[in-house]
């Protein structure tokens, strides 16, 4: 069956693409979040101070090997532990994003060359038919 996608292959490519989209979406959400920080007036920290510490926090979370040092916002031991856990998850997401996006691009280019992209519609339509009830607000 040279030139045709098997059903399993189409499902695998579709899943790789979905994983890639979700991991890229998380990465983008984390990195645009500084634009949406609200600055409560009740804090005794300036807007610049909050922004500066937030940028340091993001650098700690997304770059391996960084230490968490905030100048204006004190952290408890529990908060430091929490951020260490979040860092592990975000670094794992970055790894998944790089691997899955690379794999998705390679797989999609290969199927485009073989003119088999149309076969990827099958898993998507199956998902639409079988899973749409789980995401409807009216489903009860």
């Amino acid at each position: 069956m040279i030139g045709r996608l098997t059903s399993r292959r189409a499902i695998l490519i579709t899943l790789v693409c979905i994983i890639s989209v979700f991991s890229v979406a998380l990465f983008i959400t984390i990195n645009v979040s500084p634009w949406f920080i609200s600055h409560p007036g009740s804090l005794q920290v300036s807007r610049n101070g909050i922004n500066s510490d937030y940028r340091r926090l993001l650098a700690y979370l997304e770059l391996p090997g960084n230490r968490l040092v905030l100048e204006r916002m004190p952290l408890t031991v529990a908060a430091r532990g929490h951020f260490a856990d979040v860092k592990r998850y975000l670094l794992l997401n970055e790894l998944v994003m790089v691997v899955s996006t690379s794999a998705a691009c390679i797989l999609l280019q290969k199927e485009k060359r073989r003119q088999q992209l149309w076969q990827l519609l099958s898993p998507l339509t199956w998902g639409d038919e079988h899973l749409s009830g789980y995401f409807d607000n009216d489903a009860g």
Side-chain angles (χ1 to χ4, degrees):
M1 273 203 218
I2 295 175
R4 283 194 75 210
L5 280 173
T6 63
S7 176
R8 286 185 183 157
R9 185 175 175 98
I11 291 169
L12 176 67
I13 293 171
T14 303
L15 287 176
V16 168
C17 290
I18 289 170
I19 290 169
S20 174
V21 165
F22 279 116
S23 61
V24 168
L26 177 60
F27 181 79
I28 289 171
T29 301
I30 295 297
N31 284 292
V32 301
S33 64
W35 296 343
F36 302 104
I37 296 175
S38 63
H39 299 87
S42 61
L43 290 178
Q44 300 300 319
V45 180
S46 70
R47 177 182 297 258
N48 289 339
I50 291 173
N51 286 340
S52 175
D53 277 354
Y54 194 75
R55 283 191 300 275
R56 281 189 185 89
L57 176 62
L58 286 180
Y60 165 75
L61 292 174
E62 293 189 328
L63 300 172
N66 280 3
R67 288 191 40 218
L68 181 56
V69 178
L70 302 180
E71 292 180 357
R72 294 171 180 88
M73 300 295 286
L75 291 177
T76 63
V77 174
R80 288 187 183 280
H82 166 73
F83 285 126
D85 291 340
V86 171
K87 178 179 181 119
R88 281 190 285 276
Y89 291 127
L90 288 180
L91 290 175
L92 176 63
N93 179 67
E94 289 175 8
L95 177 65
V96 168
M97 179 183 68
V98 168
V99 171
S100 65
T101 303
S102 300
C105 289
I106 290 167
L107 291 169
L108 289 172
Q109 286 175 351
K110 183 177 180 179
E111 298 313 320
K112 183 178 179 183
R113 276 193 309 271
R114 295 169 68 197
Q115 297 182 346
Q116 295 297 309
L117 287 176
W118 65 273
Q119 296 251 352
L120 298 178
L121 293 174
S122 179
L124 293 175
T125 55
W126 179 91
D128 183 44
E129 293 170 3
H130 292 85
L131 301 176
S132 62
Y134 290 107
F135 300 107
D136 292 341
N137 290 334
D138 299 338

